[in-house]
Each structure stands twice: as structure tokens, then as C-alpha cells.
């Protein structure tokens, strides 16, 4: 029989830890929180120091009973929930539910689930950290006061099922503000002149820079004509050659936020998916004879700090695998993120002897891809900088200046392993210029003026929104995934081509919150509240005082909103057709997967139809039906024949109504690429760039 009981959150974590601790320890899972505020009511006594009323979560009674029984059979109980304030709160609730001595050293924490880390942590158990517990309680109570006061007002005045929260309201504000910027944007014309030049047999590109060595903007075709007319021949003189050596440092190891951003860019993962898979990697994966192994450190962190042990292990691995020249010689000096708590290490592999390639067969496809991303980012972060030779060449013809920029990787350094992604999907590539000397002459091959128009600011992707929330100090590592999930589930925003757009409902809810609860969408106010909640965590502020300072004015705003807010009726948009079952008009509704048509006679008539959009192209397969645009359950656009199921034509790529210039078949489609779109033929190898 075991002498000690260890309680963690999940069965996977329990299985991994029990293997390391041996027969004297029995490890059981609480399956997350066992106690919480009741769902059916506020659960916070605003008249008595905001005392929370906790109850056993429905369905968790049997787990609690089992844990109580197990606790009676052992000498001591250890609480080993995750090493953050949420984990501390879970441990505190367990201690209260199991009637454990809160003054006893019963809390055990570890940042990685490896044999050494787990065994070492049990040598140093500690008391529960009530500052961490109170920080979690403060956030939980504050969010409950906001949600359970504003949401009922929205239910009465707009529609049932709506919600409001501190972080989600700021996220919605950012998306709506950006949409207004896009709608108000007025494009401005500008031109560039791109030149192709040749030196010997080597061609290179240079672009118009200015006149007489001074930069000049080209605003219209008259400006361009003036420049082109001034060029007297194809001979351009090399005025100046500037060569430099530039170092490029590797990105820091992952924080929660940067992991979510990079997984969105490189793997197309939603934040929720990233955190779910990271949790699996942290808690442990069955790796053949090694058994269940925790593969990464704790994934909720705002720190880029790495332990000395991990740095030394990385140095050994890099030196043996890539050579001594790839070792970093200087310690990293990463800028600390505003509000970062530095409580944990960065997200990194916990075992360097478990390389992604070696254990790929034990992982699912998504687990492997995320583990590989974390592994490569960490190894690269400890490698030497890349060294690039850069070259800038200034050319002139009759005082018209062109400039060419080139770069060549002299030493790839960390780039041998990993290069950070970018939000616009562009990658830094080599552009090697031929050797040139000042005073030499090169010839122009083409001088090509191009008209452009300025573009509006881009709508937010998940990665960009997470980055912006972090930069302005809103939310913390654990909040981003549920926040983005909530605003989509509530139908406040939709994703169009992976970018957020507000819905009519989102605009209405935001307008009401902005009018009646301005502090909730005030970025400075919310960021300051985050700082106060962090101060609670560090024992610098009383959590009750923080809540009271917020709630006293907030309560008056609630009373005003209930009295003055007018009821808003969201009219259904007419679909323009009648129901084929009962004859009543069809209307457009918004559902979980976007808009659809429904009969206005609901609930007497429950007829619904998908909204389809014709693109003006005849089906290339049956030659009879029209190709229509549809959306998958994951909101991805695809194309199919409107005669389905009689015709089963379907394509992710948009078909085009013209024959292929090469094979004359009507099978041209538009493929979306990172840089523009490409028209390809599905019958032959014809390709062309789509004109924007």
C-alpha cells in the first residue's frame, strides 16, 4: 500500500509522475477544478467583502469522494497541480475539500515533468502560496462581477446568450476599431520604376530612388513620364558601392504568446489548438520503452528565461551536432515583456535526447509539428548569430538615381535550424548582386513603371491580435486562447481568410458596452487593472480592495444601464425568396458556421437552406450546372457544382471561365499563395500569375 497520495489535474500527468515516484506514492487526478462559483447565480457576496461561495462542480462529486477515501489511507497528501496561480487555486480548493492542514508543507511544483525535476521537487515541498491563490480568486471574482452583471442586461436589451468580459471586450474593440480604419481608408496613388540591369552575364534588379542623390516620391503618371524622359541612354554609371557585414540574432525561446503566434503563422493552428497540444506534450506522451515522457516545460509562461542546466545541455548538443562554430559566445539579452512575471522558464524541450525525428512515430501529426517548432526554436535561440554580407549599389543616368540592394549569407548560424516567421508571410531571401566598382558602367535591360495604391491597415489575424493584446498589457498567457474562442462562439466576430471581421451583433454589443460601461473597453484602465491583479499575486495589494475599487462605480453603471438602455430588436434580413414548404418569406439568420436561410414561419416551419454564391462559372465537369461558393464547417471556402449530388465536382481552388492557352481545356483554377495568386491548369502544366 502506498504511503503518500499525490494529486494532479489530469490522468496523463498522473501516469507520468507515478512512474517517476515509485511504489510508495499513489498519484490521482482531480480532473481540473473540483470547486468553483455556481453557474446559476452570481456566487459573490458583494455585501460581505466579496466573499465567494464555492460549490462542488456538478459531476465532480464522485471524484472528490474517491480522493477523500484515498487521502484517509495514506500518511500524507501532496498537491502537485500546475505551477501557476490557477494550479495554486486548484491545490487550495483540494486542501479545503480534503480537510488538509493549510500550514503543512503539502504543495509541490515543477516546471518540467522529467524524473530529475519531479524527484527534486518532492525534496522541497512548501506551504500553499496564498498570494497566488488570492490573485486567482481576484480575477475569478472580478470576471464574475463583470460577466454576471453586464450579460443579463444584454440578454434583456438585445438577445439571450450574449456575454461581456474584460479581455474579450478589449479584443472586440481592437477588431472593430481596425474595421473602421479599413472602411474609412482612402487609397492614394503612387508609382515605382523597377529596372532590370546587366553586368557581364549577370542580371540584377534596381529601383528608382530619386534625383540628384535625393529621394523622390512618384505620385502620378506625370512624375513617372518626367523621370523616364530624363533617362538618356541604357548606360548607367555606378556611383557608389557600399558593402557591410550584418549580424542577425536568433529569436528568443518561446513564451506562451510567441508560441501561439508562431504556431498560427507556420502551422495554421488556432490559439486554442496550440494550447491543447502543448498541454499534451507537457503532461507526457508514451515513447516506446521509455514509457510516458513529459516532452516540454510548462507552456503557460511570459518569460524567455532558460535554466543554466538547459543552456549547458543545448551547448553540448549544438557543438556535437553542428560544430563549435555554431555555439553562441555571448549570453542572450532579451527585452522583458511589459508585465512579465518571470515565474517560469520559457517553453522549451525538457529532454534534448528526444529529438523530433527520433520520436516522430510516437506522436500524432499535430503533436510532432508543434514539438518540432518548440525544439527548433529553442536550439536556434542558443546558436550563434547569422552573418550576412550586404551590398548597396547606387546607379545614375543624367542625374536619375536607381538603387540596388543585395545580401548574401556568409555564415548561416542559427538559420541552419530555424528562422522566425512573419505576419505577412514573407521570408528573407538572398539577393546576390554582381561585383561592381565605382565608376563602372552597367546597362539597363528594362525600365518598367508600375502604378500602385496604398493599402488599408490589415485586419487582425489570431497571431497579430495576440501580439497586440500582449503589447498593450491586456490579458495574460492563459487568457488569450479562451478570449479568442469566446468572441467567435458568441458570433461577435467571424474569420474571413484567417482575419477577424466584426459582425453586426458584435458592433451592437460593443456600442452598448462603450456607452454604458466605458471602463471595460478602456485600454489604459484594463491594463492598469491587470497590474493591480499582478500586485495581488506579489502580496503588494489586498485583493478585496482591488475588487471594491472597481465594483463601487461599476454597480452604479449597471443600475443606469438597466434603467436607460433601450431594447434593441435585430431584424432578420430578407433572403428574397419564399419557403418552398409553406410559402412564407425566407430570412437570413446567423448560426454557428455563419449565415444561413430559415423560414420566417419558425417554429411552425423549420425549413432551412444554405446560402450559396454563384461565381459566374459553368461547372467544368458536367458542363450543365453553375459553380457555387460554399463554406466548410471550419469556415473554409470551397467550390462545387450546384447540381450536387448529380454532379460531384468540388475544388478548394476557384475555377475560371476561360480555356487554358496551352491545352484549350476549361480547367483553369486560381490557387492562393503566400505572395499573390497563381492561375494553374488541372489538365496540363500551364501556370501564370493572376493580375491583381
Amino acid at each position: 500500500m502506498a504511503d503518500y497520495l499525490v494529486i494532479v489535474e489530469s490522468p496523463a500527468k498522473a501516469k507520468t509522475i507515478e512512474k517517476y515516484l515509485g511504489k510508495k506514492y499513489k498519484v490521482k487526478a482531480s480532473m481540473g477544478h473540483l470547486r468553483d462559483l455556481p453557474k446559476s447565480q452570481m456566487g459573490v457576496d458583494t455585501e460581505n467583502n466579496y466573499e465567494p461561495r464555492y460549490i462542488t462542480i456538478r459531476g465532480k462529486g464522485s471524484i472528490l469522494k474517491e480522493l477523500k477515501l484515498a487521502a484517509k489511507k495514506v500518511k500524507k497528501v501532496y498537491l502537485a497541480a500546475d505551477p501557476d496561480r490557477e494550479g495554486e487555486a486548484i491545490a487550495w480548493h483540494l486542501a479545503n475539500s480534503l480537510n488538509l492542514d493549510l500550514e503543512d508543507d503539502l504543495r509541490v511544483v515543477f516546471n518540467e515533468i522529467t524524473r530529475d525535476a519531479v524527484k527534486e521537487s518532492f525534496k522541497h515541498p512548501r506551504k500553499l502560496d496564498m498570494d497566488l491563490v488570492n490573485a486567482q480568486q481576484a480575477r475569478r471574482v472580478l470576471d464574475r462581477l463583470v460577466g454576471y452583471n453586464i450579460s443579463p442586461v444584454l440578454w434583456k436589451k438585445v438577445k439571450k446568450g450574449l456575454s461581456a468580459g474584460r479581455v474579450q471586450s478589449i479584443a472586440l474593440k481592437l477588431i472593430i476599431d481596425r474595421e473602421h480604419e479599413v472602411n474609412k481608408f482612402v487609397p492614394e496613388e503612387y508609382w515605382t520604376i523597377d529596372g532590370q540591369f546587366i553586368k557581364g552575364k549577370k542580371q540584377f534588379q534596381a529601383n528608382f530612388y530619386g534625383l540628384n542623390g535625393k529621394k523622390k516620391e512618384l505620385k502620378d503618371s506625370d512624375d513617372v513620364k518626367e523621370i523616364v524622359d530624363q533617362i538618356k541612354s541604357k548606360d548607367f554609371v555606378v556611383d557608389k558601392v557600399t558593402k557591410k557585414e550584418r549580424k542577425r540574432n536568433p529569436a528568443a525561446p518561446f513564451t506562451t504568446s510567441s508560441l501561439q503566434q508562431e504556431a498560427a503563422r507556420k502551422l495554421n493552428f488556432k490559439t486554442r489548438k496550440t494550447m491543447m497540444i502543448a498541454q499534451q506534450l507537457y503532461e507526457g506522451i508514451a515513447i516506446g520503452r521509455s514509457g510516458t515522457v513529459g516532452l516540454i516545460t510548462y507552456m503557460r509562461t511570459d518569460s524567455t528565461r532558460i535554466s543554466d542546466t538547459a543552456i549547458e545541455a543545448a551547448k553540448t548538443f549544438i557543438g556535437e551536432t553542428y560544430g563549435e562554430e555554431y555555439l553562441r559566445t555571448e549570453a542572450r539579452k532579451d527585452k522583458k515583456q511589459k508585465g512579465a512575471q518571470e515565474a517560469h522558464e520559457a517553453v522549451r524541450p525538457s529532454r534534448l535526447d528526444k529529438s523530433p525525428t527520433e520520436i516522430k512515430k510516437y506522436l500524432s501529426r499535430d503533436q510532432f509539428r508543434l514539438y518540432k517548432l518548440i525544439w527548433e526554436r529553442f536550439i536556434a535561440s542558443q546558436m550563434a548569430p547569422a552573418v550576412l554580407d550586404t551590398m548597396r549599389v547606387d546607379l545614375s543616368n543624367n542625374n536619375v538615381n536607381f538603387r540596388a540592394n543585395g545580401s548574401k549569407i556568409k555564415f548561416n548560424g542559427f538559420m541552419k535550424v530555424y528562422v522566425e516567421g512573419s505576419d505577412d508571410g514573407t521570408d528573407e531571401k538572398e539577393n546576390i548582386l554582381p561585383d561592381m566598382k565605382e565608376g563602372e558602367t552597367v546597362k539597363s535591360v528594362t525600365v518598367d513603371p508600375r502604378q500602385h495604391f496604398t493599402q488599408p491597415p490589415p485586419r487582425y489575424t489570431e497571431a497579430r491580435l495576440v501580439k497586440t493584446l500582449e503589447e498593450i498589457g491586456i490579458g495574460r498567457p492563459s487568457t488569450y486562447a479562451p478570449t479568442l474562442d469566446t468572441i467567435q462562439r458568441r458570433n461577435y466576430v467571424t474569420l474571413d481568410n484567417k482575419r477577424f471581421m466584426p459582425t453586426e451583433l458584435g458592433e451592437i454589443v460593443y456600442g452598448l458596452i462603450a456607452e454604458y460601461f466605458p471602463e471595460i473597453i478602456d485600454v489604459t484602465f484594463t491594463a492598469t487593472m491587470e497590474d493591480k491583479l499582478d500586485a495581488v499575486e506579489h502580496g503588494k495589494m489586498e485583493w478585496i480592495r482591488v475588487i471594491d475599487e472597481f465594483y463601487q462605480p461599476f454597480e452604479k453603471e449597471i443600475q443606469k444601464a438597466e434603467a436607460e438602455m433601450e431594447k434593441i430588436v435585430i431584424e432578420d434580413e430578407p433572403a428574397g425568396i419564399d419557403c418552398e414548404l409553406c410559402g412564407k418569406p425566407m430570412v437570413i439568420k446567423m448560426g454557428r458556421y455563419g449565415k444561413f436561410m430559415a423560414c420566417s414561419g419558425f417554429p411552425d416551419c423549420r425549413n432551412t437552406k444554405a446560402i450559396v454564391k454563384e461565381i459566374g462559372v459553368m461547372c467544368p465537369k458536367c458542363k450543365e450546372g453553375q459553380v457555387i461558393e460554399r463554406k466548410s464547417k471550419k469556415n473554409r471556402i470551397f467550390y462545387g457544382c450546384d447540381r450536387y449530388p448529380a454532379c460531384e465536382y468540388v475544388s478548394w481552388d476557384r475555377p475560371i471561365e476561360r480555356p487554358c492557352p496551352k491545352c484549350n481545356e476549361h480547367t483553369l483554377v486560381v490557387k492562393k499563395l503566400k505572395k499573390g495568386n497563381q492561375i494553374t491548369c488541372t489538365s496540363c502544366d500551364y501556370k501564370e500569375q493572376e493580375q491583381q
Side-chain angles (χ1 to χ4, degrees):
M1 183 179 291
D3 293 333
Y4 307 102
L5 173 65
V6 182
I7 304 176
V8 297
E9 301 101 309
S10 74
K13 188 175 176 182
K15 186 177 180 181
T16 310
I17 292 171
E18 192 167 71
K19 179 186 71 172
Y20 297 147
L21 293 177
K23 295 180 180 180
K24 288 188 176 182
Y25 293 83
K26 182 65 179 176
V27 186
K28 286 186 171 289
S30 69
M31 307 302 290
H33 276 281
L34 285 179
R35 297 199 311 172
D36 197 7
L37 300 172
K39 284 188 175 182
S40 58
Q41 53 186 275
M42 177 83 70
V44 177
D45 188 349
T46 56
E47 302 296 325
N48 187 24
N49 286 333
Y50 306 97
E51 183 177 337
R53 185 174 71 84
Y54 295 113
I55 62 170
T56 302
I57 297 171
R58 180 174 291 183
K60 295 291 186 76
S62 59
I63 298 174
L64 181 57
K65 185 177 180 181
E66 183 183 336
L67 292 176
K68 283 182 176 180
L69 188 63
K72 290 178 180 178
K73 297 178 180 179
V74 296
K75 296 177 182 178
K76 187 169 183 177
V77 177
Y78 290 104
L79 305 174
D82 286 345
D84 58 12
R85 55 179 164 242
E86 202 69 34
E88 204 73 18
I90 289 174
W92 179 72
H93 284 299
L94 280 167
N96 280 283
S97 298
L98 301 177
N99 295 317
L100 302 180
D101 184 359
L102 297 180
E103 294 302 313
D104 194 6
D105 292 331
L106 44 77
R107 182 76 167 110
V108 176
V109 293
F110 33 80
N111 191 53
E112 58 187 65
I113 304 179
T114 58
R115 186 181 300 276
D116 291 344
V118 170
K119 285 197 166 187
E120 182 64 25
S121 68
F122 274 84
K123 294 177 183 177
H124 309 285
R126 60 167 173 80
K127 295 181 178 66
L128 283 164
D129 187 333
M130 288 310 298
D131 288 333
L132 281 175
V133 173
N134 288 334
Q136 191 274 344
Q137 282 199 111
R139 287 176 182 276
R140 190 75 185 95
V141 168
L142 181 62
D143 289 339
R144 177 57 66 101
L145 291 172
V146 172
Y148 274 56
N149 276 296
I150 297 181
S151 297
V153 177
L154 296 176
W155 296 353
K156 292 177 189 175
K157 306 297 184 178
V158 187
K159 63 179 288 190
K160 283 191 174 183
L162 302 183
S163 69
R166 293 182 307 116
V167 180
Q168 76 177 55
S169 295
I170 295 292
L172 182 59
K173 169 186 167 59
L174 292 173
I175 293 166
I176 289 176
D177 286 351
R178 179 55 54 87
E179 191 66 21
H180 292 170
E181 289 179 50
V182 171
N183 292 335
K184 291 178 182 177
F185 183 80
V186 178
E188 293 183 6
E189 179 185 12
Y190 72 97
W191 288 71
T192 59
I193 304 176
D194 304 331
Q196 282 292 325
F197 296 82
I198 190 166
K199 164 76 188 301
K201 294 182 179 180
K202 170 74 174 178
Q203 282 200 20
F204 63 96
Q205 181 175 319
N207 307 104
F208 171 73
Y209 175 76
L211 292 173
N212 299 309
K214 294 183 179 179
K215 190 172 179 65
K216 177 177 174 60
E217 293 182 358
L218 303 175
K219 296 183 178 180
D220 52 39
S221 57
D222 291 338
D223 287 350
V224 173
K225 186 176 184 303
E226 182 183 334
I227 298 299
V228 173
D229 289 345
Q230 192 170 328
I231 298 174
K232 298 301 182 183
S233 69
K234 291 191 173 185
D235 291 337
F236 280 71
V237 177
V238 177
D239 290 330
K240 190 175 182 181
V241 178
T242 306
K243 294 183 178 181
K244 291 182 179 180
E245 186 179 270
R246 179 167 66 91
K247 284 187 177 182
R248 182 178 173 187
N249 285 305
F254 281 131
T255 61
T256 303
S257 170
S258 58
L259 173 62
Q260 291 170 351
Q261 293 170 48
E262 195 75 337
R265 295 185 194 110
K266 290 197 168 187
L267 308 180
N268 198 26
F269 283 3
K270 288 182 173 288
T271 52
R272 187 181 185 88
K273 180 176 182 177
T274 299
M275 296 309 292
M276 179 186 71
I277 297 171
Q279 184 86 36
Q280 295 166 1
L281 296 174
Y282 166 69
E283 292 184 346
I285 304 292
I287 308 293
R289 292 182 178 178
S290 300
T292 307
V293 178
L295 294 175
I296 65 170
T297 53
Y298 192 53
M299 64 285 158
R300 291 188 178 89
T301 177
D302 50 20
S303 172
T304 57
R305 180 176 58 82
I306 296 294
S307 70
D308 292 339
T309 304
I311 291 173
E312 289 304 314
K315 283 182 179 179
T316 302
F317 176 84
I318 293 165
E320 292 176 353
T321 307
Y322 305 109
E324 296 292 320
E325 67 271 26
Y326 283 91
L327 288 173
R328 189 176 186 87
T329 56
E330 297 178 0
R332 294 191 62 97
K333 295 180 181 179
D334 296 311
K335 185 179 178 181
K336 183 179 175 181
Q337 180 65 37
K338 179 186 175 183
Q341 301 302 297
E342 301 283 325
H344 310 296
E345 286 189 61
V347 184
R348 62 166 175 81
S350 56
R351 298 269 301 264
L352 289 185
D353 61 334
K354 303 293 182 187
S355 70
T357 305
E358 180 187 339
I359 64 172
K360 182 177 181 179
K361 61 183 177 181
Y362 302 110
L363 305 176
S364 69
R365 179 174 180 269
D366 287 340
Q367 287 172 343
F368 169 73
R369 294 170 73 203
L370 189 66
Y371 182 56
K372 184 172 182 284
L373 194 73
I374 294 169
W375 170 280
E376 291 177 347
R377 173 82 163 224
F378 169 66
I379 293 298
S381 75
Q382 304 306 309
M383 293 176 73
V387 181
L388 289 81
D389 283 333
T390 63
M391 183 176 178
R392 191 182 79 190
V393 179
D394 292 318
L395 311 172
S396 68
N397 179 309
N398 196 27
N399 295 321
V400 176
N401 308 121
F402 277 67
R403 177 170 286 178
N405 289 293
S407 65
K408 180 182 178 181
I409 297 175
K410 184 177 183 180
F411 171 63
N412 58 1
F414 74 92
M415 297 173 74
K416 186 176 183 70
V417 175
Y418 176 91
V419 179
E420 187 177 25
S422 62
D423 287 321
D424 57 10
T426 58
D427 297 318
E428 186 173 320
K429 293 182 179 179
E430 284 192 334
N431 178 33
I432 302 174
L433 300 177
D435 286 330
M436 286 177 270
K437 296 179 181 178
E438 294 178 6
E440 282 186 329
T441 300
V442 298
K443 289 189 177 292
S444 64
V445 179
T446 60
V447 174
D448 185 15
R450 293 177 183 268
Q451 184 187 35
H452 308 274
F453 291 91
T454 55
Q455 297 297 309
R459 293 181 175 95
Y460 286 103
T461 60
E462 283 206 358
R464 174 58 66 181
L465 187 57
V466 166
K467 185 176 183 180
T468 303
L469 287 169
E470 183 181 45
E471 287 173 346
I472 61 179
I474 304 297
R476 290 298 179 258
S478 61
T479 64
Y480 298 130
T483 295
L484 301 192
D485 185 56
T486 297
I487 60 175
Q488 291 176 78
R489 284 191 293 106
R490 300 295 184 198
N491 192 33
Y492 295 162
V493 299
T494 59
L495 275 175
D496 182 24
N497 195 24
K498 300 179 186 177
R499 296 185 182 272
F500 285 113
M501 294 180 65
T503 63
E504 179 188 5
L505 180 60
E507 295 264 14
I508 290 171
V509 169
Y510 170 74
L512 293 174
I513 293 174
E515 181 177 355
Y516 291 96
F517 311 101
E519 291 86 359
I520 299 298
I521 51 92
D522 184 285
V523 172
T524 303
F525 177 86
T526 306
T528 302
M529 179 59 71
E530 293 286 1
D531 292 338
K532 289 181 179 179
L533 293 170
D534 289 340
V536 173
E537 183 170 328
H538 291 98
K540 296 178 180 178
M541 287 189 78
E542 289 289 333
W543 75 271
I544 294 173
R545 177 188 156 199
V546 172
I547 300 298
D548 192 59
E549 287 177 354
F550 167 81
Y551 186 72
Q552 291 303 323
F554 177 68
E555 185 180 27
K556 295 175 182 176
E557 291 176 346
I558 289 291
Q559 293 169 355
K560 182 181 178 182
E562 288 179 334
E564 299 179 9
M565 189 184 293
E566 295 182 3
K567 188 172 178 63
I568 295 175
V569 178
I570 303 176
E571 299 287 348
D572 291 323
E573 180 185 347
I577 61 172
D578 292 332
C579 175
E580 66 268 27
L581 299 183
C582 71
K584 290 184 179 179
M586 298 287 281
V587 293
I588 294 175
K589 298 269 190 183
M590 180 62 76
R592 183 179 179 184
Y593 301 117
K595 292 183 176 180
F596 67 96
M597 286 189 284
C599 181
S600 59
F602 180 88
D604 296 329
C605 178
R606 296 177 176 269
N607 185 27
T608 61
K609 295 178 70 173
I611 295 176
V612 296
K613 177 183 174 183
E614 291 187 358
I615 65 170
V617 176
M618 184 174 286
C619 176
K621 185 174 182 179
C622 70
K623 314 294 184 184
E624 295 180 21
Q626 286 287 321
V627 175
I628 57 175
E629 183 182 289
R630 295 181 179 272
K631 282 191 177 181
S632 69
K633 287 186 176 181
K634 292 188 177 180
N635 215 32
R636 184 179 173 188
I637 293 174
F638 69 97
Y639 303 89
C641 181
D642 65 358
R643 295 181 63 244
Y644 178 86
C647 175
E648 296 183 348
Y649 172 78
V650 66
S651 172
W652 290 114
D653 304 315
R654 173 168 54 87
I656 296 179
E657 184 68 34
R658 66 180 171 90
C660 172
K662 187 172 183 180
C663 68
N664 208 39
E665 293 291 331
H666 281 265
T667 52
L668 290 178
V669 295
V670 177
K671 286 184 174 293
K672 286 188 176 183
L673 305 176
K674 284 185 177 180
K675 295 182 179 179
N677 296 332
Q678 187 181 71
I679 297 174
T680 64
C681 180
T682 58
S683 297
C684 68
D685 59 357
Y686 176 77
K687 294 180 181 179
E688 70 175 74
Q689 202 69 20
E690 184 182 40
Q691 298 299 314
Q692 299 294 315

